[in-house]
């Protein structure tokens, strides 16, 4: 039976686009912002969308329960965060334990949270990148599936660096999700991830172009 992916977004949805271009079976897209560009993109491709506004809920927990109810109507095998800009309640994360993935724009555990590109530049980092990982209750800290690294150039601004990292996100996230759907990902007791048929050296991509 075909696997089912639900994608959560808040914004433009370029990662969502990359997943669709990779032919991944996305059955539903949820956004916490009704004006998210990614919703239009999904609708143009005939994918069902749904939105709920956190402003209509008193507590994070009740909002997350309503979101989970919507997601579960789509009966996903995996829930994929793609620029979903909300802190998740522990109950939500637990509900989707081992089937909730995220893409983060840094080489975790460096730079969890926001403004990762400006922080990497301010620190004089020479290498930066992105991480596809399982989601755990602690923000941006779950087991790492795949990382992509890019050079930082002397004349980079947060925007030019973000654009280079984003191109890498679009390469690694579809790959990580493919591996998940093929049931090749195994979270080891020490919280590292191994991939059936892939040695550890292949769980990273280096992009030295531009
Ligand atoms: C990406 O940089 C992603 O890593 C971060 O939010 C951004 C979303 O971009 N979590 P998009 O909406 O996929 O274009």
């Amino acid at each position: 039976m075909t696997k089912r992916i639900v994608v959560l977004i808040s914004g433009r949805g370029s990662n969502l686009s990359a997943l669709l271009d990779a032919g991944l079976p996305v059955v539903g897209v949820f956004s916490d912002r009704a004006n998210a560009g990614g919703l239009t993109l999904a609708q143009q491709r005939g994918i069902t969308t749904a939105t709920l506004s956190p402003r209509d809920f008193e507590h994070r927990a009740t909002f997350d329960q309503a979101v989970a109810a919507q997601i579960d109507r789509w009966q996903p095998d995996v829930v994929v965060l793609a620029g979903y800009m909300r802190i998740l309640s522990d109950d939500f994360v637990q509900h989707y334990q081992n089937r909730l993935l995220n893409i983060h724009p840094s080489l975790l555990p460096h730079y969890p949270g926001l403004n990762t590109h400006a922080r990497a530049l301010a620190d004089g980092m020479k290498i930066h990148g992105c991480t596809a990982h399982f989601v755990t209750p602690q923000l941006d800290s779950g087991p790492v599936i795949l990382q992509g690294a890019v050079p930082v150039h002397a004349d980079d601004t947060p925007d030019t660096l973000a654009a280079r990292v984003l191109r890498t996100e679009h390469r690694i996230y579809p790959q990580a999700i493919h591996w998940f759907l093929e049931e090749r990902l195994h979270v080891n007791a020490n919280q590292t991830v191994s991939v059936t048929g892939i040695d550890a050296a292949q769980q990273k991509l280096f992009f030295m172009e531009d």
Side-chain angles (χ1 to χ4, degrees):
M1 209 174 75
T2 314
K3 302 269 182 167
R4 301 169 65 82
I5 302 173
V6 166
V7 182
L8 272 53
I9 61 166
S10 298
R12 70 195 155 185
S14 72
N15 276 289
L16 167 65
S17 210
L19 306 188
L20 295 173
D21 290 346
L24 286 164
V26 177
V27 297
V29 174
F30 173 83
S31 176
D32 61 324
R33 297 181 193 170
N35 63 354
L39 288 172
T40 315
L41 199 148
Q43 285 153 6
Q44 281 165 351
R45 295 191 184 219
I47 294 164
T48 313
T49 61
T51 61
L52 287 171
S53 171
R55 280 194 299 269
D56 296 333
F57 295 80
E58 207 173 330
H59 302 292
R60 182 181 302 282
T62 47
F63 176 73
D64 279 0
Q65 279 162 16
V67 175
Q70 173 57 58
I71 293 171
D72 290 348
R73 280 197 274 279
W74 284 318
Q75 298 183 294
D77 295 283
V78 61
V79 176
V80 166
L81 308 177
Y84 187 60
M85 301 302 287
R86 286 188 58 80
I87 306 272
L88 303 169
S89 60
D90 287 1
D91 283 352
F92 184 94
V93 173
Q94 249 143 39
H95 184 66
Y96 297 108
Q97 198 181 13
N98 297 325
R99 53 187 181 119
L100 184 59
L101 307 185
N102 185 40
I103 183 85
H104 182 76
S106 77
L107 293 172
L108 291 172
H110 294 292
Y111 310 117
L114 298 174
N115 303 319
T116 56
H117 310 300
R119 287 155 66 199
L121 286 175
D123 285 346
M125 295 292 286
K126 306 302 175 207
I127 294 172
H128 186 42
C130 55
T131 303
H133 64 98
F134 282 99
V135 175
T136 53
Q138 204 187 340
L139 182 71
D140 298 330
S141 71
V144 170
I145 301 166
L146 180 60
Q147 291 186 306
V150 301
V152 178
H153 298 316
D155 59 353
D156 266 331
T157 64
D159 285 348
T160 59
L161 184 53
R164 191 174 309 118
V165 170
L166 193 64
R167 285 196 289 279
T168 310
E169 295 181 30
H170 297 164
R171 304 268 297 264
I172 72 165
Y173 211 15
Q175 176 65 80
I177 296 165
H178 267 300
W179 284 340
F180 181 94
L181 295 181
E182 291 167 352
E183 298 177 15
R184 290 165 73 184
L185 299 181
H186 310 279
V187 180
N188 306 308
N190 61 358
Q191 295 294 293
T192 60
V193 177
S194 47
V195 189
T196 304
I198 298 287
D199 67 45
Q202 290 172 280
Q203 278 173 263
K204 54 188 180 292
L205 298 178
F206 287 103
F207 295 107
M208 301 310 288
E209 82 262 23
D210 61 50

